[in-house]
Amino acid sequence: MSPAALFRPLGALWVLVALIALLAAVCAPAVEEWHLAPFFITTAGLAFVPGALVLAATRGVQVGASALDALGLALLAWVTTPAFAALPFWLTGYFGPMDALFEAYSALTTTGATLLPADELPRSLIFWRAVLAWLGGYATLLLAIAVFAALDRDVPAIRKSALLTVRPDNILSHLPVAARRVGLVYAVLTAVTWLMLLFAGNGFFDASVLAMSAISTSGYAPVDGGLATNFGTISMLIVALACLAGTVNIALFWDALRDRGVLRDPDLAGIAALVGGLGVLYVIADTSHIPSHFIDAFFVVSTSGYTVSAPASPVPVAAVFVALVGGAAASTTGGVKISRILLLWRRMGSELAVLTDPSSLVPVTFRGRSVRDTALIGIWAYVLGFLACLGIGTLALALAGLDFQTAFLANAAALANAGPLLHETNAGHGWDELADNAKPILISAMILGRLEVLAAVAAIWALFIRK
């Protein structure tokens, strides 16, 4: 792919950031924060000018890319776009340069890690956090359908769907159509959530922030604390349903219009098993508020990190490892993804069957398709790479001055894009207590979690090493 073709989608993304900055500038007076509107207008200008220049310079250029080229494009997008998105956090004076970058990367990767609680921020910046997370969730879905679907074409981890059809020789060929379809589904789910929250008695602002944050599984809220405590049980259940929509494969909503059999998708059974298992552990640790424990368990699986009422997790270690698994492929959740774990589980069953009867041949099947051994090796490599990043990141944070427990939990939360989990599992100690030298490490973990570990390595190779 030529450099011009590489930068044209980046230019479009920067223009999109400019447009949502203008939206935030319009919203600032609506929440009686007129003095903050110029900062969003400045951000819009600084993002629009280079984006528009790139689009003008590459006008008429045919954009085509292999999966490797698109990975390089995705890496550039995740690295450069938050620099523009960080400007309102910095210009308003609430964050220093490094903290502003941390907030922007956290929002766009839907990690939801926050350095200042919502109670200490103007509502314009709370809205900016939420809309960035919503955009990041949409970008994550596009990345899944354009790049990971091509990389996993021999692995049935991402369900085959008209929504997720790509050409291996040019994976961007189907992207405009898929982007419109995914955008339609994503916007409709957000709008339905917003309307339900309004009917539940929430104000326009609170409903907007919760709807965008829930569908993107980022875990942001207009105020700190449990959902049921601040917004009521009905609103909490609506947010949980929206998080469920963000946790499952986006293709399920498109395919459900024609095939009711999608409800038997193995990802749904895997999500239910994780929620049930973690919920039972919560109940064993604390027998009070049993229904709340299962809802809290679901929020962990969705990597959103919301809580019903209490901020502390009854079984912190279990919560961390469940969050590292995450939700379905082609969803807004972080983590390894449950379909990969299910594939490895079936591989283990196949190996045990062969051990009991060495003469038998037990192929691994998933979603009605046979899985090649090379594909399973790739999944093993990904899981091992993920664990290596977990260990190396923890070591790097420990060398940066964090105690081992905080280093492990912070790195796991960043890698799984489940930022609120740190407050729930680290005895109330959170991101605001971290030193500046730890934040670049955590930002790298957030990007690795979004790009997926091996894909990130391939993206670096595509940009800087390949001849």
Side-chain angles (χ1 to χ4, degrees):
M1 184 167 64
S2 68
L6 181 69
F7 279 98
R8 185 168 179 79
L10 274 180
L13 181 59
W14 297 341
V15 170
L16 181 58
V17 171
L19 293 177
I20 66 170
L22 287 177
L23 174 63
V26 172
C27 291
V31 294
E32 300 180 354
E33 294 173 357
W34 293 82
H35 63 291
L36 297 183
F39 299 120
F40 292 107
I41 294 173
T42 301
T43 300
L46 292 174
F48 179 80
V49 170
L53 289 175
V54 169
L55 290 178
T58 57
R59 191 173 184 178
V61 173
Q62 295 295 319
V63 180
S66 66
L68 200 58
D69 293 326
L71 278 175
L73 171 62
L75 179 61
L76 283 176
W78 284 120
V79 170
T80 59
T81 306
F84 295 112
L87 289 173
F89 295 116
W90 177 46
L91 294 175
T92 54
Y94 284 88
F95 299 91
M98 177 54 67
D99 288 353
L101 283 172
F102 183 91
E103 286 281 343
Y105 276 101
S106 175
L108 278 168
T109 58
T110 75
T111 301
T114 57
L115 298 174
L116 281 179
D119 299 335
E120 298 180 16
L121 289 178
R123 292 199 289 175
S124 297
L125 287 184
I126 296 172
F127 178 81
W128 183 240
R129 274 177 174 173
V131 75
L132 286 178
W134 189 87
L135 177 63
Y138 180 56
T140 297
L141 294 174
L142 292 184
L143 182 64
I145 66 175
V147 180
F148 297 146
L151 291 173
D152 289 350
R153 61 183 180 272
D154 294 329
V155 184
I158 299 179
R159 60 178 284 111
K160 293 298 180 183
S161 167
L163 190 70
L164 305 177
T165 302
V166 295
R167 280 173 43 191
D169 60 320
N170 180 13
I171 67 173
L172 299 183
S173 61
H174 187 68
L175 187 59
V177 175
R180 289 193 293 271
R181 292 175 178 175
V182 170
L184 176 62
V185 174
Y186 195 60
V188 167
L189 291 172
T190 306
V192 169
T193 303
W194 179 71
L195 288 172
M196 292 173 67
L197 287 168
L198 285 179
F199 283 120
N202 296 281
F204 186 93
F205 177 80
D206 289 354
S208 300
V209 171
L210 287 172
M212 290 188 291
S213 302
I215 202 68
S216 63
T217 65
S218 58
Y220 289 126
V223 295
D224 294 306
L227 291 176
T229 303
N230 291 309
F231 304 101
T233 302
I234 300 299
S235 297
M236 180 267 295
L237 292 175
I238 294 170
V239 170
L241 287 174
C243 287
L244 177 61
T247 302
V248 302
N249 192 311
I250 190 69
L252 289 180
F253 297 98
W254 187 264
D255 295 345
L257 299 174
R258 297 177 301 275
D259 180 15
R260 302 298 180 187
V262 299
L263 297 177
R264 298 189 296 272
D265 190 84
D267 278 344
L268 297 178
I271 291 170
L274 281 179
V275 172
L278 183 59
V280 168
L281 289 178
Y282 280 1
V283 171
I284 293 173
D286 177 13
T287 56
S288 62
H289 309 294
I290 291 177
S292 298
H293 287 322
F294 283 94
I295 298 174
D296 281 337
F298 167 70
F299 284 139
V300 171
V301 175
S302 70
T303 69
S304 64
Y306 287 118
T307 59
V308 175
S309 56
S313 168
V315 191
V317 175
V320 169
F321 283 100
V322 168
L324 288 172
V325 173
S331 71
T332 59
T333 61
V336 174
K337 301 298 187 295
I338 201 164
S339 51
R340 291 191 176 103
I341 302 301
L342 291 174
L343 277 164
L344 296 181
W345 182 268
R346 294 201 174 187
R347 176 62 174 179
M348 183 183 71
S350 174
E351 291 293 336
L352 291 174
V354 171
L355 286 175
T356 57
D357 183 7
S359 63
S360 64
L361 182 62
V362 184
V364 178
T365 59
F366 193 70
R367 291 196 174 101
R369 295 164 54 200
S370 179
V371 184
R372 300 178 183 177
D373 286 343
T374 53
L376 290 167
I377 291 172
I379 294 175
W380 274 117
Y382 170 76
V383 172
L384 290 175
F386 193 92
L387 294 175
C389 287
L390 184 61
I392 294 172
T394 300
L395 178 61
L397 289 171
L399 292 175
L402 275 65
D403 63 89
F404 179 80
Q405 175 178 305
T406 302
F408 174 77
L409 294 174
N411 188 50
L415 198 58
N417 302 118
L421 193 65
L422 179 64
H423 292 275
E424 299 170 30
T425 57
N426 198 31
H429 300 292
W431 303 100
D432 55 325
E433 300 178 13
L434 301 180
D436 280 350
N437 61 348
K439 290 166 187 172
I441 301 170
L442 293 166
I443 288 173
S444 301
M446 295 175 194
I447 297 175
L448 283 173
R450 267 296 159 233
L451 265 182
E452 304 199 353
V453 174
L454 293 182
V457 174
I460 295 171
W461 183 80
L463 283 177
F464 303 110
I465 302 176
R466 188 176 55 165
K467 301 293 185 181

